[in-house]
Amino acid sequence: MDTNNQQTINLNKFISSTGICSRREAEKFIIEGRVTVNGKATQLGNRVGKKDVVKLDGRVLERKPETLYIALNKPIGIVSTTDEKEPNNIVQYINHPERLFPIGRLDKPSEGLIFLTNDGDIVNKILRAGNNHEKEYFVSVNKSITPDFISKMSNGIPILGTITQKCNVEKISDKIFKIVLTQGLNRQIRRMCEYLDYEVTKLKRTRIMNVELGYLQTGDWRELTEDEMKEITKMISSSSKTEEASEIKDKPKSSKPKRNILPQKNDFNKKSASFRKSSPKNKKSNSSFLSKKKRRF
């Protein structure tokens, strides 16, 4: 049993972190003599490290998987799917040692920022259109951009049986514009342009919420920083993770309080194994596509 405070946590906190019970309940198990560390009896105040084996009623308690949040600069041709039948699927491309899945989609012919994670809860909160989380794109088209084009794109285009939500559209150069969406309709930007008789020649996503693509080179990925995750957590704190987020009016649902049933002896759920961290390489390169206008965020 590791009693060194460095890289160790209180035993009751570790037990609680596995998701089996609260810290107070964990203290009760320790007092009752139901918990061992490396085969030895324990007491309140004991600390454990990563290599210690903690058992409750003789069964090993394993740490919950570490949540991972990855930002990838997706290349053109990679498909935002976990389907192994797709040879160019994004999971195989990133080749991360842990099982991750993309948050949302980015069309095969498009490139730029996309998140991958093993945290299913955060996925739904970010994706729901009703949560108004911004996604920014730089788009090249096949002919000169007119004021009429900008106006119509900004105020809504009829596609897929609906009218797109009003959005911020800004002309960057003769054939390049920036658009910020909170929707995620299938091939939305391409369909909007097609309706106005424009063809998208290049589409690059440069920002999701507070996370910018920056100097991340095409094909490279990095883990989101602690500050980025704190801001995202703050932004989704009031987000719904259900379809209700996409409705104009939400009706509160009443629910009966659930009883907190304590695990009994030899009766608990074993959690999955912990995740390993991978330290990606970040390459810096200037993007000629974005150099046409200084970015302001």
Side-chain angles (χ1 to χ4, degrees), residues 19-171:
I20 193 172
C21 63
S22 68
R23 290 193 193 184
R24 183 169 295 182
E25 292 163 348
E27 291 177 356
K28 180 181 178 182
F29 298 154
I30 295 171
I31 294 172
E32 291 175 347
R34 296 170 61 181
V35 181
T36 62
V37 176
N38 302 328
K40 298 179 181 179
T42 60
Q43 60 185 16
L44 293 179
N46 285 158
R47 300 182 67 84
V48 293
K50 292 184 177 180
K51 295 182 180 180
D52 290 320
V53 178
V54 181
K55 293 183 179 181
L56 172 62
D57 299 330
R59 301 288 296 277
V60 176
L61 291 178
E62 296 188 17
R63 292 170 172 80
K64 295 178 79 173
E66 183 177 6
T67 50
L68 297 174
Y69 307 96
I70 301 297
L72 167 71
N73 187 345
K74 186 190 86 67
I76 294 172
I78 299 302
V79 183
S80 305
T81 180
T82 59
D83 187 356
E84 296 181 355
K85 295 180 181 179
E86 168 55 59
N88 295 316
N89 75 78
I90 196 169
V91 175
Q92 182 176 326
Y93 175 80
I94 196 171
N95 195 29
H96 195 279
E98 307 304 337
R99 180 67 174 176
L100 303 176
F101 46 89
I103 299 180
R105 296 181 60 85
L106 191 58
D107 294 340
K108 184 176 181 179
S110 301
E111 61 181 313
L113 186 62
I114 187 169
F115 293 160
L116 293 99
T117 185
N118 60 345
D119 182 357
D121 184 58
I122 200 173
V123 173
N124 292 323
K125 289 185 176 183
I126 291 177
L127 291 183
R128 295 304 177 195
N131 291 328
N132 297 317
H133 301 314
E134 293 183 346
K135 298 180 290 293
E136 177 185 86
Y137 304 81
F138 279 75
V139 187
S140 296
V141 289
N142 63 333
K143 57 185 180 181
S144 297
I145 296 169
T146 65
D148 183 60
F149 173 86
I150 296 296
S151 176
K152 289 180 178 178
M153 289 286 286
S154 301
N155 288 288
I157 298 292
I159 61 170
L160 299 174
T162 187
I163 304 294
T164 59
Q165 295 177 359
K166 291 186 177 182
C167 59
N168 181 16
V169 182
E170 179 182 352
K171 182 177 178 179

Side-chain angles (χ1 to χ4, degrees), residues 180-198:
V180 180
L181 300 178
T182 56
Q183 279 181 298
L185 301 178
N186 181 261
R187 296 172 59 85
Q188 180 171 345
I189 296 174
R190 295 178 187 276
R191 292 178 188 274
M192 291 171 72
C193 289
E194 287 171 3
Y195 181 85
L196 298 176
D197 198 28
Y198 281 73

